[in-house]
Amino acid sequence: MIAKDSEKTSHISRGLGLLMATVCGFTVANVYLNQTLLVSMSTSFHVSAASIGIIATLAQIGYAIGNLLIVPLGDIFERKKLILFLLFAICIVLALNALSINKTWMMVTNLALGIVTVVPQIIVPLAANIASDHSRGKVLGNVAIGLVCGILGARLVSGFIDVHFGWRMVYWTSAVATLFMILLVYVYFPRSKGGNATSYKHLLMSLGPLFIKERVLQKACVSQGMMFASFSAFWTMLVFLLHTHPYSYGSDMVGVIGLVGIAGAFATPIIGRLIDTKGAKFASLLCMSVSLLAFIGLIRGGYWLPGLILGALLITVGTQANQVACQFTIFQLGEEKRSRLNGLYMVSTFLGGSLGSYMGLLAWSKWEWHGVCAIAILMIVISCCSLISINIPKKTIGNFTNKKGSNM
């Protein structure tokens, strides 16, 4: 591991990079635990499956709020202490989720869980600062793998535990895992300091002007927000599809399909080389095309298990690779404001995710799977249109890191 008293080094060790990806994966999973538990929760609380779906939406809205109000603190506070504080808060909220007695309780605790589960978005700028110039793109790609493994692995683990031990045990298990993450972070994470000596009020007040000023940030927010909306619509509604004809599977099958998505996530580091040779705009448009073709195929192929699995793989690859490409562009805008840039970017991403969950639920209630695919296709088209007017320079990873702070 690297020295604990210095954020700036010429190299980030493989062990620390793996630990960062692991912590990101374990924490972001908390936002998605509920998605395979919705049917079980609806039975426990005696409400309809459609009614309980609001819980998945609230968790992602909470995550967006946390990105807006908490993540920017990484630019002014010591990040390791901030991460540890949030991990303790996550443990408390997970316990409250496990003790829920009705739907309203679950709505409140899932919103709170989303707010405090923003640890990954504090780790990403930390990793970008620690990494050497020639390895920054690779490091971001590796951390992204952790995020996708957490998002999709949550479905596998929660589905298995739900089937065998009940949905409450899912939250207790996650609380224990988070306690273990606290120990690892305390021992191995480096210390760091924010670069801005300003108040929290002024920090938040700077977000609006920053977003208005940086057009590249605006475009990236719309692009990944809509891509993640389609991704969220697919995975949130998948549990309902698998409970109906011709499947009639349990919650654990969603997790099995999620394993395919995790395998696809390991293709994301390749996006760094593609950005280096063809440019970030080309990479993003390619990612969108992959997801678009996947949803077109799923209109009919979704009722055929091999087709559904292939679609899950392509959607995961397209969405996650686009996230790496978009982060590549916004991190060119300045090292000293990376936490705020990433916070604003992830707010839009997870607002898109919550929109996708909600619109997917509405589409399912009216037109079932065909409606979900149609909504997702529309979202990807909007994402594609948002990037058409961007002129993103074909910078190499090394070049963009040598010109930190310059605007495109």
Side-chain angles (χ1 to χ4, degrees):
M1 297 297 176
I2 66 173
K4 298 180 183 179
D5 59 349
S6 174
E7 180 180 347
K8 288 287 186 180
T9 64
S10 61
H11 176 69
I12 180 171
S13 71
R14 181 175 299 178
L16 180 57
L18 177 62
L19 177 58
M20 286 181 167
T22 301
V23 175
C24 285
F26 269 93
T27 51
V28 79
N30 292 315
V31 180
Y32 300 92
L33 293 176
N34 55 50
Q35 293 186 356
T36 52
L37 308 178
L38 296 176
V39 175
S40 297
M41 289 177 180
S42 66
T43 301
S44 295
F45 299 139
H46 307 290
V47 297
S48 68
S51 174
I52 203 71
I54 190 63
I55 289 175
T57 300
L58 286 172
Q60 294 185 67
I61 290 175
Y63 197 81
I65 293 172
N67 272 279
L68 181 64
L69 300 181
I70 297 177
V71 170
L73 291 173
D75 282 339
I76 59 175
F77 289 144
E78 203 277 304
R79 288 188 174 107
K80 181 177 178 178
K81 289 182 180 179
L82 184 58
I83 291 169
L84 288 171
F85 173 81
L86 290 172
L87 289 174
F88 276 114
I90 290 170
C91 283
I92 294 172
V93 179
L94 283 169
L96 291 174
N97 271 274
L99 296 171
S100 296
I101 59 176
N102 54 43
K103 174 188 168 184
T104 302
W105 185 315
M106 283 298 295
M107 290 171 62
V108 173
T109 53
N110 271 268
L111 179 65
L113 185 60
I115 292 173
V116 297
T117 309
V118 291
V119 169
Q121 306 315 323
I122 298 172
I123 292 177
V124 168
L126 175 62
N129 286 357
I130 293 174
S132 58
D133 289 351
H134 70 275
S135 66
R136 185 167 288 114
K138 178 182 177 181
V139 169
L140 290 176
N142 289 338
V143 173
I145 291 176
L147 286 169
V148 177
C149 288
I151 292 171
L152 299 181
R155 296 174 172 89
L156 174 65
V157 176
S158 63
F160 176 83
I161 297 176
D162 177 36
V163 168
H164 295 283
F165 304 102
W167 65 267
R168 296 182 190 275
M169 184 57 66
V170 173
Y171 289 102
W172 288 122
T173 302
S174 184
V176 173
T178 303
L179 287 173
F180 184 59
M181 292 297 105
I182 289 173
L183 177 63
L184 293 177
V185 169
Y186 179 78
V187 173
Y188 294 113
F189 263 42
R191 299 181 187 277
S192 66
K193 292 183 178 180
N196 295 296
T198 185
S199 67
Y200 180 59
K201 177 182 177 181
H202 288 134
L203 186 73
L204 293 183
M205 289 178 64
S206 71
L207 295 178
L210 180 63
F211 183 79
I212 293 171
K213 175 185 176 183
E214 304 293 358
R215 184 162 178 79
V216 169
L217 174 62
Q218 297 169 19
K219 296 289 187 176
C221 286
V222 174
S223 171
Q224 185 60 11
M226 289 294 97
M227 284 290 287
F228 198 68
S230 65
F231 175 90
S232 184
F234 172 82
W235 286 104
T236 304
M237 294 303 106
L238 182 61
V239 65
F240 295 105
L241 176 65
L242 292 177
H243 274 82
T244 60
H245 180 77
Y247 297 114
S248 300
Y249 292 130
S251 302
D252 51 346
M253 189 60 185
V254 180
V256 174
I257 295 177
L259 282 177
V260 178
I262 290 175
F266 284 88
T268 55
I270 300 173
I271 202 67
R273 292 195 293 270
L274 184 61
I275 293 170
D276 189 36
T277 57
K278 298 292 186 178
K281 181 179 178 180
F282 175 86
S284 289
L285 292 174
L286 178 62
C287 296
M288 294 170 193
S289 300
V290 169
S291 292
L292 181 63
L293 291 174
F295 275 111
I296 292 174
L298 282 170
I299 293 175
R300 295 184 63 85
Y303 294 99
W304 180 50
L305 187 58
L308 187 63
I309 291 173
L310 177 61
L313 174 65
L314 295 178
I315 290 167
T316 301
V317 170
T319 304
Q320 192 54 42
N322 188 66
Q323 176 166 318
V324 174
C326 288
Q327 282 182 318
F328 176 92
T329 64
I330 66 171
F331 282 166
Q332 294 187 64
L333 303 178
E335 176 182 337
E336 74 286 350
K337 51 188 176 183
R338 279 180 180 153
S339 286
R340 283 169 289 166
L341 289 168
N342 197 54
L344 289 167
Y345 172 71
M346 295 311 299
V347 165
S348 65
T349 297
F350 282 89
L351 282 177
S354 63
L355 175 66
S357 294
Y358 180 72
M359 295 301 294
L361 192 65
L362 289 180
W364 175 268
S365 66
K366 293 181 179 295
W367 306 291
E368 295 193 341
W369 186 246
H370 288 165
V372 174
C373 291
I375 286 292
I377 289 171
L378 175 61
M379 291 170 174
I380 295 173
V381 170
I382 294 172
S383 177
C384 182
C385 291
S386 74
L387 283 185
I388 289 177
S389 62
I390 296 185
N391 294 315
I392 301 175
K394 296 182 180 180
K395 303 272 187 185
T396 62
I397 292 174
N399 286 339
F400 101 78
T401 51
N402 286 331
K403 297 182 181 180
K404 301 170 189 171
S406 63
N407 294 338
M408 290 191 290

